Amino acid sequence: MKPALLLILFSTSVLTAQSASDTPAKIYSAGPDVTAPELLPHQVSQPYVNDHCTGDQQGKVTFSLIVDANGEPRNVFFLHPLGADLDVLALKHVTEDHFKPGTLNGQPVAVAESLDVSVRTCLRDEKDARGQARMVLHLAAEPEQELKPPVDPPQQVVLVSGNGVTPTPEEPNPLVYKVGGDVKPPHYFPPSTDEMRFARGLLDLGDYKVSVLVDRNGMPSSIRILDSAQPGKEQQIARIMSVWRFRPAMLNGRPVPARTEISLRFTMRGR
């Protein structure tokens, strides 16, 4: 029988937290008195690729976000990821979006929304800076996007941008939070069938314990192996975890980066 992923458990994160000092903004939902934001034409950061490509892939990713009073996407995280590299391209596209902001009595306000992003991609053989050939995933066409009503929108929240891990001019010293109190832990999206098949091809039966940093978009990074049933499987586990997606840790309704530990158990099907 083939091994299956039976159990996934989260424990508390391990790094220091800091309370937010920024002023929360009131968050609205579109309705009788509040107009909904509107997507503006996308400014493409790189040309779409549809020639000399192989491995056409497509899918739909859904995000939660807040469109602020300036029409910028804030507090972006996954609601329904694909669990593949298509998520990365969809996320990049959304964070580069610009909107006509929603209004209340004619004045721009922050409005919560969900956003469906349908992407089509392909692989192209390219050379890196060292002249080594590699396959690079590109958008083959402009993604189709559709704004929808929000899911569990906060009434007020500190508006943030970026993943909360990479230093920016606004956050030169980003912090990783500790789960507990007002900081709610990150939650994984159940692995897809393809992810399960991929994992079964790489790992043996047994227990594995992993530490992972989940950024505020819900992307994993800085994966560490704490305990492994099979020594020498560190690279395989890191490859598996790299395509997992999460609902990020939340602090008073806003996503924050947090490190968490995950226990995985692979056993025979039906046991």
Side-chain angles (χ1 to χ4, degrees):
M1 300 178 71
K2 293 183 178 180
L5 184 59
L6 176 68
L7 182 65
I8 304 172
L9 300 173
F10 284 82
S11 68
T12 59
S13 61
V14 296
L15 297 185
T16 305
Q18 174 174 312
S19 298
S21 58
D22 296 332
T23 302
K26 181 173 176 56
I27 307 301
Y28 296 85
S29 295
D33 299 321
V34 179
T35 64
E38 298 177 17
L39 270 166
L40 298 176
H42 196 84
Q43 301 298 316
V44 181
S45 60
Q46 58 181 347
Y48 301 118
V49 174
N50 52 26
D51 58 339
H52 306 291
C53 276
T54 60
D56 181 83
Q57 301 179 60
Q58 54 188 330
K60 182 172 70 175
V61 186
T62 304
F63 296 92
S64 172
L65 76 160
I66 295 170
V67 178
D68 71 14
N70 295 317
E72 300 299 322
R74 311 289 287 272
N75 299 40
V76 179
F77 59 87
F78 293 103
L79 287 178
H80 300 290
L82 291 170
D85 289 338
L86 276 68
D87 292 331
V88 179
L89 293 179
L91 175 61
K92 183 177 186 296
H93 192 83
V94 170
T95 57
E96 294 174 349
D97 274 335
H98 296 280
F99 301 81
K100 177 182 178 181
T103 61
L104 172 65
N105 298 325
Q107 297 299 313
V109 292
V111 178
E113 294 282 351
S114 296
L115 180 62
D116 286 345
V117 184
S118 297
V119 294
R120 183 167 67 85
T121 67
C122 65
L123 291 166
R124 189 166 71 172
D125 191 6
E126 299 180 359
K127 291 185 178 180
D128 60 21
R130 298 178 296 175
Q132 300 293 319
R134 61 192 182 104
M135 299 300 290
V136 179
L137 188 70
H138 290 277
L139 287 173
E142 181 172 357
E144 298 179 1
Q145 300 186 87
E146 182 181 1
L147 287 167
K148 292 187 173 182
V151 177
D152 297 327
Q155 294 185 342
Q156 64 175 21
V157 71
V158 175
L159 297 176
V160 295
S161 58
N163 61 22
V165 175
T166 305
T168 64
E170 294 78 18
E171 293 181 284
N173 300 300
L175 296 175
V176 175
Y177 286 75
K178 181 179 180 180
V179 172
D182 291 333
V183 181
K184 307 305 179 185
H187 294 279
Y188 79 100
F189 290 97
S192 67
T193 301
D194 287 342
E195 289 174 312
M196 292 288 292
R197 187 180 299 114
F198 179 60
R200 288 198 297 267
L202 292 178
L203 293 181
D204 300 316
L205 302 181
D207 296 329
Y208 302 83
K209 191 173 184 180
V210 181
S211 172
V212 59
L213 174 57
V214 179
D215 70 21
R216 61 184 171 215
N217 296 136
M219 294 291 293
S221 65
S222 187
I223 299 165
R224 303 172 185 170
I225 311 305
L226 302 179
D227 190 23
S228 174
Q230 297 291 327
K233 294 290 185 178
E234 286 77 9
Q235 290 186 349
Q236 290 90 332
I237 293 176
R239 286 178 61 190
I240 292 169
M241 295 299 302
S242 68
V243 297
W244 281 33
R245 303 293 178 252
F246 299 80
R247 183 181 176 94
M250 305 294 285
L251 172 60
N252 298 325
R254 72 178 172 115
V256 295
R259 178 170 288 281
T260 194
E261 295 178 3
I262 305 173
S263 295
L264 305 96
R265 174 171 297 165
F266 279 81
T267 186
M268 301 301 293
R269 287 188 184 278
R271 294 184 61 183

